[in-house]
Amino acid sequence: MGNTGKNEFNFWPYAIVSMILTVVMLGIWTIKVAVNNPVQEDNSYMMKYQDVDEKINEILASQKMFDEKYRIDLSGNTLKLGENRIEIRVVDKNGNPVEGAEVIAIVTRPTTSKDDIRLNEFEWTGEKFLSEPFELKRGGRWNIEVKVTIEGTNGFKTYKTFVK
């Protein structure tokens, strides 16, 4: 006589199953997004981040020694679509141009390294180092990252610009 004729329906098993399916679907979605957006390697100081992490104290000490003697000036650079050249002025603390420096530059976008343009050939003009010609095909934000080596000390400088 305990049965009143009423059929009770319990939703708890359906709620638990739907929560489990939701978690599985969100896991699949997370993996799909991660695979479609791979990690971009940071190339600060023109090295892999593992090398920078391992040698950061030596890099900063070399930068400090460089900054005590020299200054890198990139302020005269404006990039545009098409052919470009960059100017790098290296001066001592008295403002005299420094000749004989080893200069390397990378023109890169801040969020990706797939558009990097590495510049190794620089011409000394008597006052500044002038890069080989290179071409920019895309507008937007660009960075000019420079490494200058003089007498075993390294100086680094980043110049941010916008290309229209």
Side-chain angles (χ1 to χ4, degrees), residues 8-140:
E8 292 186 23
F9 190 73
N10 195 349
F11 286 102
W12 281 106
Y14 295 107
I16 292 172
V17 168
S18 67
M19 283 189 265
I20 291 172
L21 288 175
T22 301
V23 168
V24 169
M25 295 293 282
L26 288 174
I28 292 170
W29 177 76
T30 300
I31 292 169
K32 184 179 183 320
V33 168
V35 167
N36 289 340
N37 298 303
V39 174
Q40 295 293 326
E41 293 231 4
D42 182 27
N43 62 353
S44 299
Y45 300 104
M46 297 185 190
M47 299 180 205
K48 287 187 161 195
Y49 75 92
Q50 294 95 337
D51 295 335
V52 172
D53 189 41
E54 185 178 308
K55 300 175 184 177
I56 190 65
N57 292 328
E58 293 95 13
I59 293 168
L60 293 177
S62 181
Q63 179 73 49
K64 184 178 179 185
M65 287 174 47
F66 186 92
D67 289 342
E68 288 172 356
K69 297 178 184 178
Y70 309 104
R71 185 174 53 88
I72 301 170
D73 181 18
L74 300 170
S75 62
N77 291 295
T78 54
L79 299 178
K80 62 186 182 308
L81 292 175
E83 188 172 298
N84 293 278
R85 294 180 89 170
I86 60 172
E87 301 175 352
I88 301 170
R89 287 185 171 78
V90 181
V91 295
D92 61 16
K93 286 299 180 178
N94 297 325
N96 300 319
V98 176
E99 185 180 359
E102 180 184 333
V103 180
I104 299 171
I106 296 178
V107 180
T108 182
R109 296 182 68 83
T111 56
T112 181
S113 59
K114 71 177 183 177
D115 296 322
D116 285 4
I117 301 168
R118 188 173 181 92
L119 303 169
N120 296 319
E121 301 293 324
F122 284 85
E123 171 189 342
W124 174 250
T125 65
E127 291 185 9
K128 60 190 171 197
F129 293 92
L130 193 59
S131 77
E132 58 193 290
F134 63 93
E135 188 172 341
L136 291 180
K137 297 177 183 175
R138 296 178 60 190

